[in-house]
Amino acid sequence: KAGVTQTPRYLIKTRGQQVTLSCSPISGHRSVSWYQQTPGQGLQFLFEYFSETQRNKGNFPGRFSGRQFSNSRSEMNVSTLELGDSALYLCASSLDRGRSPLHFGNGTRLTVT
Amino acid sequence: DAKTTQPNSMESNEEEPVHLPCNHSTISGTDYIHWYRQLPSQGPEYVIHGLTSNVNNRMASLAIAEDRKSSTLILHRATLRDAAVYYCILKGETSGSRLTFGEGTQLTVNP
């Protein structure tokens, strides 16, 4: 079974630009969540989608948004990029929203210059 | 979210067992104990989870205290590939996929 796939693997953007990251979950998984990882803040939850609806949102500004499609694939968007948005963005999928574990992709490394 | 406490770092020798402790004194009755590990330049990897009873899988064993206020991840024979940051996380049935990651335990495995 293929794991969680994130594209692109690396991205370099300039301040003020916007970026879209993509995530394909494990087949059959309906929950997709996004996390930001930085050396200073560690792993922080961004948001969770299940059945195309946002179910949970972390403490991030409105510049961070996401969506989930009917095939469970998900995208997250960051508008008006700031230097502090440089981070590893991780997507995880899960069979359901209960006890099932999360399976993470290897992330998209975003650098904002 | 209920909090977990782990040592910042631990060291082991190759082919020896490793016991990684985790304290979670404020765990609620419906919280599952999950363990993940993260190798350099990779996303976190699911290791094991449990509720009350001890659990085993091909990667590790999870020993849960009777009062559930602590647990121990056991790697039976450490290899160099087990060097990673290990995270102990509580996952409630109502928290969905919102996990709260602490700083975890950096495991070093010596050859």
Side-chain angles (χ1 to χ4, degrees), chain B residues 6 20 35-37 73 75 82 84-88 104-105 107:
Chain B
Q6 301 177 251
L20 297 165
W35 283 82
Y36 293 80
R37 70 180 186 182
L73 179 70
L75 306 178
D82 291 323
V85 178
Y86 286 78
Y87 298 99
C88 167
T105 297
L107 175 66

Side-chain angles (χ1 to χ4, degrees), chain B residues 43-55:
Chain B
E45 175 187 27
Y46 164 73
V47 178
I48 200 167
H49 77 283
L51 183 64
T52 55
S53 306
N54 294 344
V55 186

Side-chain angles (χ1 to χ4, degrees), chain B residues 95-108:
Chain B
S95 61
S97 294
R98 182 180 191 139
L99 302 184
T100 300
F101 284 83
E103 294 187 4
T105 297
Q106 174 69 63
L107 175 66
T108 300

Side-chain angles (χ1 to χ4, degrees), chain A residues 4-71:
Chain A
V4 176
T5 305
Q6 291 188 246
T7 55
R9 190 82 171 87
Y10 300 94
L11 208 47
I12 300 175
K13 289 286 187 178
T14 306
R15 268 182 304 176
Q17 288 186 313
Q18 67 96 26
V19 67
T20 299
L21 312 181
S22 182
C23 172
S24 293
I26 292 172
S27 177
H29 284 196
R30 297 171 63 196
S31 173
V32 174
S33 52
W34 289 88
Y35 288 78
Q36 181 196 66
Q37 186 170 30
T38 59
Q41 299 296 320
L43 271 153
Q44 292 188 288
F45 171 80
L46 278 157
F47 26 65
E48 174 197 4
Y49 287 86
F50 184 85
S51 294
E52 302 176 65
T53 302
Q54 188 179 90
R55 303 296 178 135
N56 242 320
K57 190 177 191 315
N59 189 25
F60 280 83
R63 300 185 296 106
F64 291 81
S65 63
R67 59 178 175 167
Q68 186 181 32
F69 302 96
S70 58
N71 61 359

Side-chain angles (χ1 to χ4, degrees), chain B residues 22-84:
Chain B
C22 180
N23 287 319
H24 28 79
S25 58
T26 58
I27 190 170
S28 76
T30 55
D31 284 342
Y32 282 77
I33 301 157
H34 282 236
W35 283 82
Y36 293 80
R37 70 180 186 182
Q38 187 172 21
L39 282 67
S41 302
Q42 292 187 25
E45 175 187 27
Y46 164 73
V47 178
I48 200 167
H49 77 283
L51 183 64
T52 55
S53 306
N54 294 344
V55 186
N56 301 294
N57 66 21
R58 63 174 181 81
M59 288 181 71
S61 294
L62 176 60
I64 301 172
E66 203 168 321
D67 63 5
R68 300 207 330 123
K69 292 180 189 268
S70 66
S71 61
T72 303
L73 179 70
I74 302 165
L75 306 178
H76 295 286
R77 288 184 68 200
T79 70
L80 297 178
R81 287 173 296 180
D82 291 323

